Coordinates of all heavy atoms in Angstrom, one line a residue:
Chain A
A256 N -8.3 -10.1 21.0 CA -7.5 -10.3 22.2 C -6.8 -11.7 22.3 O -5.7 -11.8 22.6 CB -8.2 -9.9 23.4
L257 N -7.7 -12.6 22.0 CA -7.2 -14.0 22.1 C -6.2 -14.2 21.0 O -5.2 -15.0 21.1 CB -8.4 -15.0 22.0 CG -9.4 -15.0 23.2 CD1 -10.6 -15.7 22.8 CD2 -8.6 -15.8 24.4
Q259 N -4.2 -12.2 19.7 CA -3.0 -11.4 19.9 C -2.4 -12.3 20.9 O -1.1 -12.5 20.9 CB -3.3 -10.1 20.6 CG -2.3 -9.0 20.1 CD -0.9 -9.2 20.9 OE1 -1.0 -9.6 22.0 NE2 0.1 -8.9 20.2
E260 N -2.9 -12.8 21.8 CA -2.4 -13.7 22.9 C -1.7 -15.0 22.1 O -0.7 -15.3 22.6 CB -3.4 -14.2 23.9 CG -2.8 -14.9 25.1 CD -2.0 -14.2 26.1 OE1 -2.4 -13.0 26.4 OE2 -1.1 -14.7 26.6
E263 N 1.6 -14.2 20.6 CA 2.7 -14.3 21.4 C 3.3 -15.6 21.6 O 4.4 -15.9 21.8 CB 2.4 -13.7 22.9 CG 1.8 -12.3 22.8 CD 2.8 -11.3 22.4 OE1 4.1 -11.4 22.7 OE2 2.6 -10.4 21.8
L264 N 2.4 -16.7 21.6 CA 2.9 -18.1 21.8 C 3.9 -18.5 20.6 O 4.8 -19.3 20.9 CB 1.7 -19.0 21.7 CG 0.6 -18.9 22.8 CD1 -0.5 -19.9 22.6 CD2 1.3 -19.0 24.3
R266 N 6.1 -16.9 19.4 CA 7.4 -16.3 19.7 C 8.2 -17.3 20.4 O 9.5 -17.4 20.4 CB 7.4 -15.1 20.5 CG 6.7 -13.9 19.9 CD 6.4 -12.8 20.7 NE 7.6 -12.1 21.3 CZ 7.6 -11.1 22.0 NH1 6.6 -10.8 22.5 NH2 8.8 -10.5 22.4
A267 N 7.6 -18.4 21.0 CA 8.3 -19.5 21.8 C 9.2 -20.3 20.8 O 8.9 -20.4 19.6 CB 7.2 -20.3 22.5
L303 N -5.8 -21.0 21.3 CA -4.8 -20.5 22.3 C -4.6 -21.6 23.3 O -3.4 -21.8 23.7 CB -5.6 -19.3 23.1 CG -4.7 -18.7 24.3 CD1 -3.3 -18.2 23.6 CD2 -5.6 -17.6 24.8
E307 N -0.9 -23.0 23.9 CA -0.4 -22.9 25.3 C 0.1 -24.3 25.8 O 1.2 -24.5 26.4 CB -1.4 -22.4 26.3 CG -1.4 -20.9 26.4 CD -2.3 -20.3 27.3 OE1 -3.4 -20.9 27.7 OE2 -2.1 -19.2 27.8
V310 N 3.3 -25.2 24.1 CA 4.5 -24.3 24.7 C 4.8 -24.8 26.0 O 6.1 -25.0 26.2 CB 4.1 -22.8 24.8 CG1 5.1 -22.0 25.5 CG2 3.9 -22.2 23.4
K311 N 4.0 -25.1 26.8 CA 4.2 -25.6 28.2 C 5.0 -26.9 28.1 O 5.9 -27.2 28.9 CB 2.9 -25.9 29.0 CG 2.4 -24.6 29.6 CD 1.2 -24.8 30.4 CE 0.6 -23.5 30.9 NZ -0.8 -23.5 31.1
P361 N -1.3 -5.3 14.4 CA -1.3 -4.7 15.8 C -2.7 -4.7 16.4 O -3.6 -4.2 15.7 CB -0.7 -3.4 15.3 CG -1.1 -3.1 13.9 CD -1.4 -4.4 13.2
Y362 N -2.8 -5.2 17.5 CA -4.1 -5.3 18.0 C -4.6 -4.0 18.5 O -4.1 -3.4 19.4 CB -4.0 -6.4 19.2 CG -5.3 -6.4 20.0 CD1 -6.6 -6.6 19.4 CD2 -5.3 -6.2 21.4 CE1 -7.8 -6.6 20.2 CE2 -6.4 -6.3 22.1 CZ -7.7 -6.5 21.5 OH -8.8 -6.6 22.3
T363 N -5.8 -3.6 17.9 CA -6.4 -2.4 18.4 C -7.7 -2.6 18.8 O -8.6 -3.3 18.1 CB -6.5 -1.5 17.1 OG1 -5.3 -1.2 16.5 CG2 -7.2 -0.1 17.5
L364 N -7.9 -2.3 20.0 CA -9.4 -2.5 20.6 C -10.3 -1.4 20.0 O -10.0 -0.4 19.8 CB -9.2 -2.1 22.1 CG -10.3 -2.5 23.1 CD1 -10.0 -4.1 23.3 CD2 -10.0 -1.9 24.4
K379 N -10.1 2.6 11.9 CA -8.8 2.5 12.3 C -8.3 1.1 11.9 O -7.3 0.7 11.3 CB -8.4 2.9 13.7 CG -6.9 2.9 14.1 CD -6.9 3.5 15.5 CE -5.4 3.6 15.8 NZ -5.3 3.7 17.2
M383 N -5.8 0.4 8.8 CA -4.4 0.3 9.3 C -4.1 -1.0 10.0 O -2.8 -1.3 10.1 CB -4.1 1.4 10.3 CG -4.2 2.8 9.6 SD -4.5 4.1 10.8 CE -3.2 4.0 11.9
D384 N -4.8 -1.9 10.4 CA -4.4 -3.0 11.0 C -4.6 -4.3 10.4 O -3.8 -5.1 10.4 CB -5.3 -3.2 12.4 CG -5.0 -2.2 13.5 OD1 -4.1 -1.4 13.3 OD2 -5.7 -2.2 14.5
R389 N -2.7 -3.4 5.6 CA -1.9 -2.7 6.5 C -0.4 -2.4 5.8 O 0.0 -1.2 5.8 CB -1.6 -3.5 7.7 CG -0.4 -3.1 8.6 CD -0.2 -4.1 9.7 NE 1.0 -3.7 10.4 CZ 1.2 -2.5 10.9 NH1 0.2 -1.7 11.0 NH2 2.4 -2.3 11.5
V403 N 11.1 -5.4 10.7 CA 12.0 -5.1 11.9 C 11.4 -5.7 13.2 O 12.2 -6.4 13.9 CB 12.3 -3.7 12.0 CG1 13.1 -3.3 13.3 CG2 13.3 -3.2 10.8
R404 N 10.4 -5.4 13.3 CA 9.7 -5.8 14.7 C 9.5 -7.3 14.8 O 9.8 -7.9 15.8 CB 8.3 -5.0 14.7 CG 7.6 -5.2 16.1 CD 8.4 -4.5 17.3 NE 7.9 -4.8 18.6 CZ 6.9 -4.3 19.1 NH1 6.3 -3.2 18.6 NH2 6.4 -4.7 20.4
K407 N 12.7 -9.3 15.2 CA 13.2 -9.2 16.5 C 12.4 -10.1 17.5 O 13.0 -10.8 18.4 CB 13.2 -7.7 16.9 CG 13.8 -7.4 18.3 CD 13.8 -6.0 18.5 CE 14.6 -5.5 19.7 NZ 14.6 -4.0 19.9
D408 N 11.2 -9.8 17.5 CA 10.2 -10.4 18.5 C 10.0 -11.9 18.3 O 10.0 -12.7 19.3 CB 8.9 -9.8 18.4 CG 8.8 -8.4 19.0 OD1 9.8 -8.1 19.6 OD2 7.8 -7.8 18.9
Y409 N 10.1 -12.5 17.0 CA 9.9 -13.8 16.8 C 11.2 -14.5 16.4 O 11.1 -15.7 16.1 CB 8.8 -14.0 15.6 CG 7.5 -13.6 16.0 CD1 7.1 -12.3 16.0 CD2 6.6 -14.6 16.5 CE1 5.7 -11.8 16.4 CE2 5.3 -14.2 16.8 CZ 4.9 -12.8 16.8 OH 3.7 -12.4 17.2
K410 N 12.3 -13.9 16.7 CA 13.6 -14.5 16.4 C 13.7 -15.3 15.1 O 14.1 -16.4 15.0 CB 13.9 -15.7 17.6 CG 13.8 -15.1 19.0 CD 14.5 -16.1 20.0 CE 14.7 -15.6 21.4 NZ 13.5 -15.1 22.1
R433 N 14.9 -5.6 1.2 CA 16.2 -6.1 1.2 C 17.3 -5.3 2.0 O 17.9 -5.8 2.9 CB 16.7 -6.3 -0.1 CG 18.1 -7.0 -0.3 CD 18.6 -7.0 -1.7 NE 17.7 -7.8 -2.6 CZ 17.0 -7.3 -3.7 NH1 17.0 -6.0 -3.9 NH2 16.3 -8.0 -4.4
E434 N 17.0 -4.0 1.9 CA 17.9 -3.2 2.7 C 17.6 -3.3 4.2 O 18.5 -3.2 5.0 CB 17.9 -1.7 2.1 CG 19.0 -0.9 2.7 CD 19.3 0.3 1.9 OE1 18.7 0.4 0.8 OE2 20.0 1.2 2.3
R437 N 18.9 -6.4 5.4 CA 20.5 -6.3 5.6 C 20.8 -5.5 6.8 O 21.8 -5.8 7.6 CB 21.0 -5.6 4.3 CG 22.6 -5.6 4.1 CD 23.1 -4.9 3.1 NE 22.5 -3.5 3.1 CZ 23.1 -2.5 4.0 NH1 24.0 -2.8 4.8 NH2 22.5 -1.3 4.0
P442 N 18.9 -12.8 6.6 CA 19.0 -13.1 5.1 C 17.5 -12.8 4.6 O 16.5 -13.1 5.2 CB 19.3 -14.6 5.1 CG 19.9 -15.0 6.4 CD 19.3 -14.0 7.5
F443 N 17.4 -12.4 3.4 CA 16.2 -12.1 2.7 C 16.2 -12.7 1.3 O 17.3 -12.7 0.6 CB 16.1 -10.7 2.5 CG 15.0 -10.0 1.6 CD1 13.8 -9.9 2.3 CD2 15.3 -9.7 0.3 CE1 12.7 -9.5 1.4 CE2 14.2 -9.2 -0.5 CZ 12.9 -9.1 0.1
M472 N 22.9 -19.3 2.7 CA 23.0 -18.5 4.1 C 23.4 -19.4 5.2 O 23.4 -18.9 6.3 CB 21.6 -17.9 4.3 CG 21.1 -17.0 3.3 SD 22.1 -15.6 3.2 CE 22.8 -15.6 1.5
Chain B
N72 N 15.6 -13.7 28.6 CA 14.3 -14.1 28.8 C 14.0 -15.0 27.7 O 13.1 -14.7 26.9 CB 13.4 -12.9 28.9 CG 11.9 -13.4 29.4 OD1 11.9 -14.2 30.4 ND2 10.9 -12.9 28.6
P73 N 14.5 -16.3 27.6 CA 14.2 -17.1 26.4 C 12.8 -17.6 26.2 O 12.5 -17.9 25.1 CB 15.3 -18.3 26.6 CG 15.5 -18.3 28.1 CD 15.3 -16.9 28.6
I75 N 8.7 -17.3 26.5 CA 7.7 -16.3 26.6 C 6.8 -16.4 27.9 O 6.9 -17.5 28.5 CB 6.6 -16.4 25.4 CG1 6.0 -17.9 25.4 CG2 7.3 -16.2 24.1 CD1 4.9 -17.9 24.4
I76 N 6.2 -15.4 28.3 CA 5.4 -15.4 29.5 C 4.0 -15.7 29.3 O 3.3 -14.9 28.7 CB 5.7 -14.2 30.4 CG1 7.1 -13.9 30.7 CG2 4.8 -14.2 31.7 CD1 7.5 -12.6 31.3
L77 N 3.5 -16.9 29.7 CA 2.2 -17.2 29.4 C 1.2 -16.5 30.3 O 1.6 -15.9 31.4 CB 1.9 -18.7 29.6 CG 2.8 -19.6 28.6 CD1 2.6 -21.2 29.0 CD2 2.4 -19.4 27.2
R78 N -0.2 -16.6 29.9 CA -1.1 -15.8 30.8 C -1.1 -16.3 32.2 O -1.1 -15.5 33.2 CB -2.5 -16.1 30.2 CG -2.9 -15.7 28.9 CD -4.2 -16.0 28.5 NE -4.4 -17.4 28.3 CZ -5.5 -18.0 28.0 NH1 -6.7 -17.3 27.8 NH2 -5.7 -19.3 27.7
P88 N -4.5 -2.7 25.6 CA -5.2 -1.7 25.1 C -6.4 -1.2 25.8 O -6.9 -0.1 25.8 CB -5.8 -2.5 23.8 CG -4.7 -3.4 23.5 CD -4.1 -3.8 24.7
D89 N -6.9 -2.3 26.7 CA -8.0 -1.9 27.6 C -7.6 -1.0 28.7 O -8.3 0.0 29.0 CB -8.4 -3.2 28.4 CG -9.8 -3.7 27.9 OD1 -10.6 -2.8 27.8 OD2 -10.0 -4.8 28.0
Q148 N 13.9 1.9 18.5 CA 13.8 0.3 18.4 C 14.1 -0.3 19.8 O 13.6 -1.4 20.1 CB 14.6 -0.2 17.4 CG 14.0 -0.1 16.0 CD 12.6 -0.8 15.7 OE1 12.5 -1.8 16.3 NE2 11.7 -0.2 14.9
A149 N 15.1 0.3 20.5 CA 15.7 -0.3 21.6 C 14.7 -0.5 22.7 O 14.8 -1.4 23.6 CB 16.9 0.5 22.2
Y151 N 11.9 -1.7 22.6 CA 11.2 -3.1 22.4 C 12.3 -4.1 22.7 O 13.0 -4.6 21.8 CB 10.6 -3.2 20.9 CG 9.9 -2.1 20.6 CD1 10.1 -1.2 19.6 CD2 8.5 -2.0 21.1 CE1 9.2 -0.1 19.1 CE2 7.5 -0.9 20.8 CZ 8.1 0.0 19.8 OH 7.2 0.9 19.5
V152 N 12.3 -4.5 23.9 CA 13.5 -5.2 24.4 C 13.5 -6.7 24.1 O 14.5 -7.4 24.3 CB 13.6 -5.1 26.1 CG1 13.7 -3.6 26.3 CG2 12.3 -5.7 26.7
A153 N 12.4 -7.2 23.5 CA 12.4 -8.7 23.0 C 12.7 -9.6 24.1 O 12.0 -9.5 25.3 CB 13.3 -8.9 21.8
D154 N 13.8 -10.3 24.1 CA 14.0 -11.3 25.2 C 15.2 -10.9 26.2 O 15.9 -11.8 26.7 CB 14.4 -12.7 24.6 CG 15.6 -12.6 23.6 OD1 16.1 -11.5 23.5 OD2 16.0 -13.6 23.2
Q155 N 15.4 -9.6 26.3 CA 16.6 -9.2 26.9 C 16.4 -9.0 28.5 O 17.4 -8.7 29.1 CB 17.2 -7.8 26.4 CG 17.5 -7.9 24.9 CD 18.1 -6.7 24.4 OE1 19.2 -6.3 24.6 NE2 17.2 -6.0 23.7
M160 N 8.4 -9.4 29.4 CA 8.2 -9.6 27.9 C 7.3 -8.4 27.4 O 6.3 -8.2 27.9 CB 7.4 -10.9 27.8 CG 7.1 -11.2 26.4 SD 6.3 -12.8 26.1 CE 4.5 -12.4 26.4
V161 N 7.8 -7.8 26.5 CA 7.0 -6.8 25.6 C 6.4 -7.5 24.5 O 6.9 -8.3 23.7 CB 7.9 -5.7 25.2 CG1 7.3 -4.7 24.2 CG2 8.8 -4.9 26.1
R162 N 5.0 -7.4 24.5 CA 4.3 -8.1 23.4 C 4.4 -7.6 22.1 O 4.8 -6.4 21.9 CB 2.8 -8.1 23.9 CG 2.6 -8.9 25.3 CD 1.1 -8.8 25.6 NE 0.3 -9.4 24.8 CZ -0.8 -10.1 25.1 NH1 -1.1 -10.2 26.4 NH2 -1.6 -10.5 24.2
S163 N 4.3 -8.4 21.1 CA 4.6 -8.0 19.9 C 3.4 -7.3 19.1 O 2.8 -7.7 18.2 CB 4.9 -9.3 19.0 OG 5.4 -8.8 17.6
S164 N 3.2 -6.1 19.6 CA 2.0 -5.3 19.2 C 2.7 -4.0 18.8 O 3.2 -3.2 19.7 CB 1.0 -5.1 20.2 OG 0.1 -4.3 19.9
S165 N 2.7 -3.5 17.5 CA 3.6 -2.6 17.1 C 3.7 -1.1 17.7 O 4.5 -0.5 17.7 CB 3.8 -2.5 15.6 OG 2.5 -2.1 15.0
R166 N 2.3 -0.8 17.9 CA 2.2 0.6 18.2 C 2.3 1.1 19.7 O 2.5 2.3 20.0 CB 0.8 1.1 17.7 CG 0.9 1.5 16.2 CD -0.2 2.4 15.9 NE -1.5 1.7 15.9 CZ -1.9 1.0 14.9 NH1 -1.3 0.8 13.8 NH2 -3.1 0.5 15.0
N167 N 2.5 0.2 20.7 CA 2.6 0.6 22.1 C 3.5 -0.4 22.8 O 3.9 -1.4 22.2 CB 1.1 0.9 22.7 CG 0.4 -0.4 22.5 OD1 0.9 -1.5 22.5 ND2 -0.9 -0.3 22.4
W169 N 3.1 -3.0 25.5 CA 2.1 -3.9 26.1 C 3.0 -4.9 26.7 O 3.5 -5.7 25.9 CB 1.1 -4.2 25.2 CG 0.0 -5.1 25.7 CD1 -0.2 -5.6 27.0 CD2 -1.0 -5.7 24.9 NE1 -1.3 -6.4 27.2 CE2 -1.8 -6.5 25.8 CE3 -1.2 -5.8 23.6 CZ2 -2.9 -7.3 25.4 CZ3 -2.5 -6.6 23.2 CH2 -3.2 -7.3 24.1
R171 N 4.4 -7.8 30.2 CA 4.1 -8.6 31.2 C 5.4 -8.7 32.2 O 6.5 -8.8 31.7 CB 3.8 -10.0 30.7 CG 2.4 -10.2 30.2 CD 2.2 -11.6 29.8 NE 0.8 -11.7 29.4 CZ 0.2 -12.5 28.6 NH1 0.9 -13.5 28.2 NH2 -1.1 -12.5 28.4
V234 N 13.5 10.8 10.3 CA 13.7 9.7 9.4 C 13.8 10.2 7.9 O 14.7 9.6 7.2 CB 12.6 8.7 9.5 CG1 12.6 7.6 8.4 CG2 12.6 8.1 11.0
W238 N 17.2 9.2 5.6 CA 17.2 8.4 4.5 C 17.8 9.3 3.2 O 18.5 8.7 2.5 CB 15.8 8.0 4.0 CG 15.2 6.8 4.8 CD1 14.3 6.7 5.7 CD2 15.8 5.5 4.7 NE1 14.1 5.4 6.1 CE2 15.0 4.6 5.5 CE3 16.9 4.9 4.0 CZ2 15.2 3.3 5.6 CZ3 17.1 3.5 4.1 CH2 16.3 2.8 5.0
R241 N 21.5 9.2 3.3 CA 22.1 7.9 3.3 C 22.7 7.5 1.9 O 23.6 6.6 1.8 CB 21.3 6.8 3.7 CG 21.3 6.5 5.2 CD 20.3 5.5 5.6 NE 20.6 4.2 5.0 CZ 20.2 3.0 5.5 NH1 19.3 3.0 6.5 NH2 20.5 1.9 5.0
D244 N 22.7 2.2 -1.5 CA 23.6 1.1 -1.2 C 23.3 -0.2 -1.8 O 22.1 -0.7 -1.5 CB 23.6 1.0 0.4 CG 24.8 0.2 0.9 OD1 25.3 -0.6 0.0 OD2 25.1 0.1 2.0
E246 N 24.6 -3.1 -1.5 CA 25.0 -4.3 -0.9 C 24.0 -5.3 -0.9 O 22.8 -5.0 -0.5 CB 25.5 -4.0 0.5 CG 27.0 -3.4 0.5 CD 27.6 -3.4 1.9 OE1 27.4 -4.2 2.6 OE2 28.1 -2.2 2.2
C247 N 24.2 -6.5 -0.9 CA 23.2 -7.7 -0.8 C 23.9 -8.8 -0.2 O 25.1 -8.7 0.2 CB 22.7 -7.9 -2.3 SG 23.9 -8.6 -3.4
D248 N 23.1 -9.8 0.0 CA 23.6 -11.0 0.7 C 24.5 -11.9 -0.2 O 24.9 -12.9 0.3 CB 22.3 -11.6 1.2 CG 21.6 -10.8 2.2 OD1 22.2 -10.2 3.1 OD2 20.4 -10.8 2.1

Side-chain angles (χ1 to χ4, degrees):
Chain A
L257 291 166
Q259 215 287 326
E260 185 70 39
E263 297 298 320
L264 298 181
R266 295 169 69 180
L303 182 58
E307 272 180 339
V310 168
K311 281 180 182 157
Y362 169 54
T363 305
L364 199 72
K379 188 176 183 192
M383 289 155 61
D384 288 357
R389 162 179 176 67
V403 169
R404 190 70 191 272
K407 186 175 185 178
D408 286 347
Y409 289 85
K410 298 190 173 68
R433 184 182 299 112
E434 192 159 350
R437 190 189 54 75
F443 172 82
M472 294 298 120
Chain B
N72 190 50
I75 57 169
I76 301 172
L77 298 176
R78 293 180 292 176
D89 247 324
Q148 286 292 328
Y151 305 113
V152 297
D154 62 353
Q155 297 181 82
M160 177 178 90
V161 174
R162 292 174 68 139
S163 190
S164 173
S165 65
R166 276 199 290 276
N167 52 31
W169 179 6
R171 283 184 171 158
V234 168
W238 277 116
R241 269 175 69 162
D244 189 344
E246 277 186 50
C247 62
D248 300 311

